[in-house]
């Protein structure tokens, strides 16, 4: 019998690639979306663009902030991929706006998966749940052993939401006998091809750069992941016996914001005058942040380089990563094919 996999937030950028990978591998997929009919339409169109047969894809309604729908969503599913979580481009003033759906939604999915007797849940966390440790030695390379300290005063509500959601998931499986096994994927900033024009925050950055929204880029740098790697790692972590009880960093190398712009221009030379043309001196960013509130969240990141090791995904899951250049270029080319930039 075909195994069915629950994929939460199946309208999202990463989730659609996970759904495509599962369908390609012969699984049936039950997605969740806040609006099931709209969600099914979005996911089916994305599968058509990916050249994947969506016959075995269905969609049910469930919201991370409400109990209704989750038991029915998980019932009969062999595995669950919990991908949905708020990922806003601007940070809310009230951290609870993102923390509550992230943490409580994770617990709702885990409870429903436990009731359904699913043997394993894969959770999409983030490298942001890894890299903002209380302290570290200079040159420290972050690994799955590192955890973000949510009491730090310089981190965003989103970072707090991802860390507390992941912590809650580990506590749930530790404290509840008979809970599913848990495997966690911690992606860096995800690039790679979009399957439709409904962009995640991480591709919205390319969209804004391509439209000329940023003449200069602040000096920030972060780990980068290709969405295809992120999807494949989720599916490997779902069945590999050695993945149970483990976190996996899914990122390969880093990119600067300025570098992303330059790579967009290399892929699409007509955008050379639109993408950021210089790196802004930190003092300039600090000055602008006095009037532009959105810039304040980047101030603690200026000039900081955080490097993550992906050795565990390579060694335990046998995964070979695409380069950051491939991820950024293919994102840009997909946005051009979709007529977005
Ligand atoms: P998207 O914004 O494309 O997807 C987010 C998904 O979460 C959407 O399907 C959205 O559904 C769903 N969602 C948000 N709030 C709720 C809610 N209250 N109830 C139900 N569903 C909700 O983002 P990504 O695909 O980029 O992100 C997917 C996951 O990957 C997230 O957990 C994110 O934190 C994580 N991640 C992303 C990275 C990146 O760079 N893109 C990096 C590291 C981790 P709807 O369509 O209804 O809004």
């Amino acid at each position: 019998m075909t195994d069915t996999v629950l994929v939460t937030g199946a309208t999202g950028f990463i989730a659609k690639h996970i759904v495509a990978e599962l369908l390609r591998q012969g699984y049936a997929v039950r997605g969740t979306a806040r609006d099931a009919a709209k969600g099914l339409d979005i996911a089916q169109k994305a599968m058509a663009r990916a050249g994947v047969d969506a016959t075995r894809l269905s969609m049910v309604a469930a919201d991370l902030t409400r109990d209704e729908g989750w038991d029915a969503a998980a019932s009969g599913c062999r595995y669950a991929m919990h991908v949905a979580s708020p990922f806003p481009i601007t940070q809310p003033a009230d951290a609870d706006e993102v923390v509550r759906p992230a943490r409580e939604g994770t617990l709702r999915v885990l409870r429903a998966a436990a009731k359904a007797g699913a043997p394993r849940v894969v959770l999409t966390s983030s490298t942001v749940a890894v890299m903002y440790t209380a302290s570290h030695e200079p040159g420290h390379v972050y690994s799955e052993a590192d955890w973000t300290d949510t009491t730090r005063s310089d981190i965003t509500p989103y970072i707090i939401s991802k860390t507390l959601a992941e912590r809650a998931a580990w506590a749930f499986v530790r404290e509840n006998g008979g809970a599913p096994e848990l495997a966690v994927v911690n992606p860096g900033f995800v690039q790679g091809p979009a399957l439709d024009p409904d962009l995640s925050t991480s591709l919205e950055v390319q969209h804004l750069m391509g439209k000329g929204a940023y003449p200069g880029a602040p000096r920030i740098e972060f780990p980068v992941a290709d969405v295809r790697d992120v999807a494949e790692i989720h599916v490997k972590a779902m069945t590999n016996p050695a993945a149970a009880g483990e976190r996996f960093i899914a990122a390969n190398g880093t990119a600067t914001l300025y570098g992303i712009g330059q790579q967009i221009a290399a892929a699409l030379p007509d955008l050379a005058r639109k993408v950021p043309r210089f790196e802004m001196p930190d003092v300039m960013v600090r000055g602008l942040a006095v009037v532009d509130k959105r810039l304040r969240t980047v101030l603690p990141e200026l000039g900081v380089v955080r490097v993550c090791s992906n050795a565990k995904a390579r060694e335990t899951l046998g995964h070979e990563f695409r380069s950051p250049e491939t991820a950024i270029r293919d994102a840009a080319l997909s946005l051009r094919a979709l007529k977005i930039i």
Side-chain angles (χ1 to χ4, degrees):
M1 211 181 80
T2 310
D3 284 334
T4 300
V5 183
L6 176 70
V7 179
T8 68
T11 50
F13 169 48
I14 296 174
K16 282 175 290 206
H17 279 271
I18 294 175
V19 169
E21 184 62 18
L22 288 166
L23 292 173
R24 273 188 218 108
Q25 293 197 20
Y27 292 97
V29 174
R30 187 179 300 151
T32 72
R34 283 184 268 196
D35 178 332
K38 205 169 136 201
L40 184 62
D41 184 53
I42 291 172
Q44 280 175 333
K45 285 185 178 139
M47 292 311 109
R49 282 203 191 88
V52 172
D53 175 10
T55 319
R56 280 174 284 105
L57 170 65
S58 58
M59 195 72 63
V60 296
D63 187 314
L64 295 174
T65 60
R66 302 165 70 97
D67 288 332
E68 301 86 77
W70 290 109
D71 286 348
S75 161
C77 290
R78 179 147 176 80
Y79 302 104
M81 302 273 196
H82 178 39
V83 192
S85 207
F87 186 20
I89 196 156
T90 48
Q91 296 295 314
D94 177 6
D96 258 358
E97 262 181 52
V98 286
V99 170
R100 279 196 50 218
R103 181 167 52 187
E104 292 173 14
T106 297
L107 291 174
R108 288 190 169 95
V109 173
L110 279 164
R111 270 187 231 113
K115 259 196 213 167
R120 191 174 295 182
V121 172
V122 181
L123 169 71
T124 316
S125 183
S126 170
T127 48
V128 302
V130 170
M131 302 186 306
Y132 295 83
T133 49
S135 63
H136 63 268
E137 298 295 314
H140 178 70
V141 175
Y142 292 90
S143 75
E144 289 80 357
D146 290 309
W147 272 95
T148 287
D149 173 8
T150 52
T151 65
R152 275 175 65 147
S153 58
D154 60 348
I155 57 175
T156 61
Y158 174 70
I159 297 175
I160 297 171
S161 79
K162 294 307 288 179
T163 311
L164 293 182
E166 189 189 334
R167 283 235 182 255
W170 286 118
F172 180 90
V173 296
R174 206 171 41 242
E175 290 160 13
N176 290 279
E181 293 172 342
L182 180 65
V184 172
V185 183
N186 301 80
F189 190 65
V190 182
Q191 298 288 292
L195 294 178
D196 61 29
D198 182 14
L199 303 181
S200 160
T201 292
S202 57
L203 289 189
E204 192 55 35
V205 169
Q206 281 219 14
H207 177 207
L208 291 170
M209 282 185 180
K211 286 176 79 83
Y214 306 125
R219 274 187 337 118
I220 59 176
E221 182 160 353
F222 30 71
V224 171
D226 188 303
V227 69
R228 295 162 291 193
D229 288 321
V230 174
E232 287 160 21
I233 288 172
H234 274 78
V235 180
K236 288 175 179 174
M238 185 177 86
T239 52
N240 188 315
E246 302 293 340
R247 313 168 88 191
F248 295 96
I249 288 172
N252 193 23
T254 63
T256 62
L257 265 188
Y258 175 72
I260 290 179
Q262 292 306 298
Q263 287 178 49
I264 296 172
L268 303 167
D270 57 297
L271 296 182
R273 299 193 62 74
K274 297 270 188 190
V275 299
R277 290 186 296 283
F278 61 96
E279 275 201 317
M280 292 154 76
D282 296 350
V283 63
M284 184 177 174
V285 182
R286 289 185 209 289
L288 287 172
V290 174
V291 280
D292 186 345
K293 268 203 323 204
R294 287 169 310 168
L295 272 175
R296 286 180 206 161
T297 53
V298 308
L299 296 182
E301 306 287 334
L302 293 174
V304 181
V305 183
R306 296 187 181 85
V307 177
C308 287
S309 167
N310 61 17
K312 190 164 159 189
R314 282 190 280 110
E315 287 158 17
T316 308
L317 303 176
H319 191 76
E320 283 185 31
F321 284 86
R322 292 161 180 86
S323 69
E325 293 76 23
T326 302
I328 295 163
R329 182 202 60 208
D330 288 357
L333 295 177
S334 74
L335 298 190
R336 173 54 57 86
L338 289 161
K339 300 188 170 40
I340 290 175
I341 56 175

